[in-house]
Amino acid sequence: MVDAESERRLRNAGTWGGLAVSAIALAGVMAATAGQGTPPTERAAPTAAQEPGCPPETGTSRLADPAMPDPATVTPQRAAELDRRLTEAAAGQRIPTADSPVTIPVIVHVLSRQDGTGNVSRAKIDAQIAGMNKAYSGGHGGADTGIRFELHDVTRTADDLWFRDFMGNEEAIKRELRRGDGGTLNLYTADLGRGILGRSTFPQDYSVNDWADGVTVDYRTLPGGGREKFDLGHTATHETGHWLGLFHTFQNGCSHPSDYVDDTPYERQQSAGCPEGRDTCPSRPGEDPVRNFMNYSDDACMREFTEGQGERMRRAWAAFRA
């Protein structure tokens, strides 16, 4: 077993100077309103990091195989509690409109092997941020959510153990690398294995485990990353939706209140591939939202957020991250 000091000597961590943070951008993220909380969520799978002595908390994730059990399933009870906390925290808050976009600073933490595996290029990172901006602005045909992203920095850490076992070393990784407050999106890339594409925390949980806050994706899901069916960058788009308070479109199945967004049709179960015309809740209006970014469809199928999802994300931003 490698002790902590020996492991640190094996690590070769470096930071790229990213885009300069303007005074205005910094002002927008310096004050994060603490929500009352519980912990993480989401595109396929995870258990969130935990404080010593505490039971593991579930996060939320995107799965590569929608047929496999999702260890990050959000129970109806937990979803209801998260929604209650959002409603209470957002009361009296000034909610941004889609006409005045919120710009979120992003710090990308690239984990890789010592031999360079996983050391994704700056070009792929730039493409990821551009892809998220296109998705969140309605560039694929969906609604403009009023959310934008700006890359502020990139860190690079070569550590074989951290790269291949992010979940098993999550607390150590995030406590060392994470930067900013609740309004800063920390995006980690690593090898998450075959089953999990990405994972995220919920904004309601920032006040409980601020060090755990952020989004993690498999490095191959970035644009051009080579993950079959999932390399257009929509895993980060999906997981960031959770980071901003969204549930999966199939949350609660055909039962009220579904995903707590009025304009996403009910859906009994997650989608796979791109099953256009599928209707798993025939007694409810509308076909399944298989093209929604908060589903499990292939990247090429995904193209939209709804106006209601945009409003919920902006409410969560004002309540917990602004």
Side-chain angles (χ1 to χ4, degrees), residues 23 54 71 78 88 107 125 130 132 139 163 169 174 186 192 203 210 221 268 281 287-288 297 305 309 315 318:
C54 295
R78 173 154 160 77
E88 291 179 354
I107 299 177
I125 294 170
M132 291 167 65
F163 175 68
N169 296 277
K174 289 185 173 180
N186 282 257
L192 300 187
D210 57 353
T221 67
R268 184 176 300 279
C281 297
E287 295 178 343
D288 292 359
S297 301
F305 287 111
Q309 286 175 315
R315 275 201 297 135

Side-chain angles (χ1 to χ4, degrees), residues 239-294:
E239 297 301 342
T240 301
H242 290 302
W243 187 80
L244 288 166
L246 295 184
F247 297 120
H248 291 128
T249 54
F250 47 88
Q251 180 69 39
N252 290 315
C254 299
S255 300
H256 181 77
S258 185
D259 63 348
Y260 293 86
V261 177
D262 290 340
D263 60 359
T264 56
Y266 284 76
E267 183 179 30
R268 184 176 300 279
Q269 61 198 31
Q270 62 266 42
S271 60
C274 193
E276 295 240 43
R278 190 180 76 160
D279 188 0
T280 56
C281 297
S283 65
R284 299 284 189 175
E287 295 178 343
D288 292 359
V290 300
R291 289 190 172 275
N292 195 284
F293 287 114
M294 299 313 294

Side-chain angles (χ1 to χ4, degrees), residues 65 103 132 136 156 250 259 269 298 301-302:
D65 180 5
T103 299
M132 291 167 65
Y136 279 79
R156 296 182 182 275
F250 47 88
D259 63 348
Q269 61 198 31
D298 295 351
C301 184
M302 291 178 160

Side-chain angles (χ1 to χ4, degrees), residues 4-317:
E5 186 55 35
S6 297
E7 182 176 324
R8 183 174 297 277
R9 287 198 297 269
L10 288 172
R11 191 177 310 122
N12 175 22
T15 303
W16 283 23
L19 303 178
V21 182
S22 68
I24 293 176
L26 275 175
V29 300
M30 285 301 292
T33 304
Q36 304 125 353
T38 329
T41 209
E42 195 96 2
R43 203 182 181 192
T47 30
Q50 72 234 42
E51 297 289 353
C54 295
E57 298 286 357
T58 17
T60 230
S61 46
R62 187 185 182 194
L63 299 168
D65 180 5
M68 69 181 282
D70 187 350
T73 296
V74 179
T75 65
Q77 294 77 17
R78 173 154 160 77
E81 173 63 12
L82 290 170
D83 185 69
R84 180 190 66 78
R85 285 159 52 195
L86 172 57
T87 299
E88 291 179 354
Q93 295 284 348
R94 182 176 179 181
I95 311 302
T97 66
D99 295 332
S100 301
V102 171
T103 299
I104 298 173
V106 183
I107 299 177
V108 177
H109 304 287
V110 177
L111 301 180
S112 66
R113 294 180 62 91
Q114 293 282 347
D115 65 7
T117 302
N119 191 18
V120 296
S121 69
R122 178 58 183 264
K124 281 189 172 66
I125 294 170
D126 288 342
Q128 178 65 75
I129 301 301
M132 291 167 65
N133 279 324
K134 183 174 181 178
Y136 279 79
S137 65
H140 296 283
D144 185 345
T145 66
I147 303 290
R148 301 291 187 272
F149 304 92
E150 182 177 88
L151 181 65
H152 279 189
D153 209 351
V154 178
T155 74
R156 296 182 182 275
T157 304
D159 185 308
D160 290 2
L161 178 62
W162 282 12
F163 175 68
R164 73 169 185 269
D165 186 15
F166 185 95
M167 304 308 177
N169 296 277
E170 181 175 13
E171 182 169 351
I173 293 168
K174 289 185 173 180
R175 286 195 182 278
E176 179 162 327
L177 299 181
R178 193 187 181 284
R179 291 163 50 188
D181 58 17
T184 301
L185 173 58
N186 282 257
L187 175 62
Y188 303 84
T189 68
D191 183 354
L192 300 187
R194 297 183 61 186
I196 297 175
L197 298 172
R199 63 167 298 179
S200 174
T201 57
F202 280 118
Q204 290 90 328
D205 300 327
Y206 178 76
S207 66
V208 175
N209 284 331
D210 57 353
W211 60 266
D213 189 64
V215 165
T216 306
V217 299
D218 189 282
Y219 74 100
R220 291 159 292 198
T221 67
L222 271 65
R227 187 67 181 255
E228 185 180 3
K229 301 187 295 184
F230 302 108
D231 70 345
L232 299 181
H234 292 332
T235 290
T237 299
H238 174 110
E239 297 301 342
T240 301
H242 290 302
W243 187 80
L244 288 166
L246 295 184
F247 297 120
H248 291 128
T249 54
F250 47 88
Q251 180 69 39
N252 290 315
C254 299
S255 300
H256 181 77
S258 185
D259 63 348
Y260 293 86
V261 177
D262 290 340
D263 60 359
T264 56
Y266 284 76
E267 183 179 30
R268 184 176 300 279
Q269 61 198 31
Q270 62 266 42
S271 60
C274 193
E276 295 240 43
R278 190 180 76 160
D279 188 0
T280 56
C281 297
S283 65
R284 299 284 189 175
E287 295 178 343
D288 292 359
V290 300
R291 289 190 172 275
N292 195 284
F293 287 114
M294 299 313 294
N295 215 323
Y296 274 5
S297 301
D298 295 351
D299 274 13
C301 184
M302 291 178 160
R303 69 183 181 200
E304 64 188 18
F305 287 111
T306 67
E307 290 184 3
Q309 286 175 315
E311 191 274 338
R312 184 178 179 87
M313 287 190 281
R314 296 192 304 275
R315 275 201 297 135
W317 170 264

